[in-house]
Amino acid sequence: MELSKRELDLISLSLFRLKIEKKTLLGDRQDLELIKMIEELEKLSEKIDNERLSR
């Protein structure tokens, strides 16, 4: 499925927001599941940003 630049922008913004929310939830805790989720969000965000910037 091919996404428009606008759709990629919105996805990128949403992923950024999710990362911030998860990092806030994490705080000083060492919740491994939450840490893993943040790492996966960062990887996905990087892929989307690379695609978005290549257009």
Side-chain angles (χ1 to χ4, degrees), residues 1 5-6 8-11 18-19 22-27 30-32 35 39 41-43 48-49 51 53 55:
M1 177 170 79
K5 178 141 176 38
R6 174 140 171 81
L8 290 170
D9 288 344
L10 291 173
I11 292 169
L18 275 173
K19 279 192 321 188
K22 298 303 178 196
K23 285 182 179 182
T24 301
L25 280 175
L26 184 62
Q30 291 301 312
D31 185 335
L32 296 179
I35 291 169
E39 290 170 354
L41 284 170
E42 287 172 346
K43 288 177 189 174
I48 293 293
D49 286 344
E51 177 66 26
L53 295 173
R55 293 182 181 208

Side-chain angles (χ1 to χ4, degrees), residues 3-38:
L3 299 174
S4 71
K5 178 141 176 38
R6 174 140 171 81
E7 290 169 324
L8 290 170
D9 288 344
L10 291 173
I11 292 169
S12 178
L13 183 60
S14 296
L15 287 170
F16 178 75
R17 186 173 156 232
L18 275 173
K19 279 192 321 188
I20 297 301
E21 287 175 1
K22 298 303 178 196
K23 285 182 179 182
T24 301
L25 280 175
L26 184 62
D28 293 335
R29 297 182 297 162
Q30 291 301 312
D31 185 335
L32 296 179
E33 187 175 324
L34 199 50
I35 291 169
K36 176 96 170 126
M37 187 183 303
I38 292 168

